[in-house]
Amino acid sequence: MTRHHPLGLGLLAALLLSTTACVAELGGALKVDGESFTPTSCRAGQVNGFQGVDLIDESGRTVRLVQTPTNQPNAILIAGQQVIDLGVCGTMSVERQTSSVNDVTNVMGEATLACEAEGHSLSGTATFKNCH
């Protein structure tokens, strides 16, 4: 019969919790310029000095959602050196989580977006969790 040391099991549980608690969870269905935009990672706005989140796709294109003082998202598209400010765009909720990575507090939330500017458009929904 194998005996398990209680401390060893506790450490294993804590390790598993810490590695899974910080994995980003992304969902929704966004479109940029009428084409599907599928974020593969996210970053808390705290890294760049704003309240909100960056949603980043596989090619590095970024949808930046900056929460305004009136709790509306200001949407910005970033593709390489091109930065397009789409202005206030739909609704968003963003909350600080209790966990952090490298002194950056994780954020979670959701957004419903519909905006156009400078010949570009952004629409759809996004959910995000554990973005740091």
Side-chain angles (χ1 to χ4, degrees):
M1 180 189 266
T2 305
R3 291 186 51 122
H4 297 286
H5 192 279
L7 181 59
L9 289 177
L11 288 173
L12 178 61
L15 178 63
L16 288 173
L17 181 61
S18 69
T19 57
T20 58
C22 293
V23 174
E25 297 175 28
L26 302 165
L30 287 176
K31 289 190 180 239
V32 172
D33 297 336
E35 295 183 12
S36 216
F37 176 87
T38 305
T40 55
S41 65
C42 59
R43 186 174 307 122
Q46 177 185 348
V47 173
N48 291 305
F50 67 91
Q51 176 70 15
V53 67
D54 282 340
L55 304 173
I56 306 146
D57 75 2
E58 194 172 76
S59 70
R61 244 181 353 164
T62 301
V63 170
R64 176 168 286 175
L65 300 175
V66 180
Q67 190 172 38
T68 68
T70 57
N71 290 328
Q72 296 174 300
N74 190 75
I76 301 166
L77 297 176
I78 304 169
Q81 299 299 315
Q82 188 176 24
V83 178
I84 300 115
D85 187 345
L86 296 170
V88 173
C89 184
T91 61
M92 176 174 73
S93 67
V94 62
E95 299 175 38
R96 293 169 54 99
Q97 295 177 247
T98 57
S99 56
S100 65
V101 175
N102 297 328
D103 295 325
V104 175
T105 303
N106 288 338
V107 295
M108 63 185 235
E110 59 187 9
T112 301
L113 308 165
C115 52
E116 292 184 37
E118 299 182 36
H120 295 277
S121 64
L122 173 63
S123 64
T125 61
T127 59
F128 49 91
K129 185 175 180 181
N130 298 327
C131 301
H132 56 272

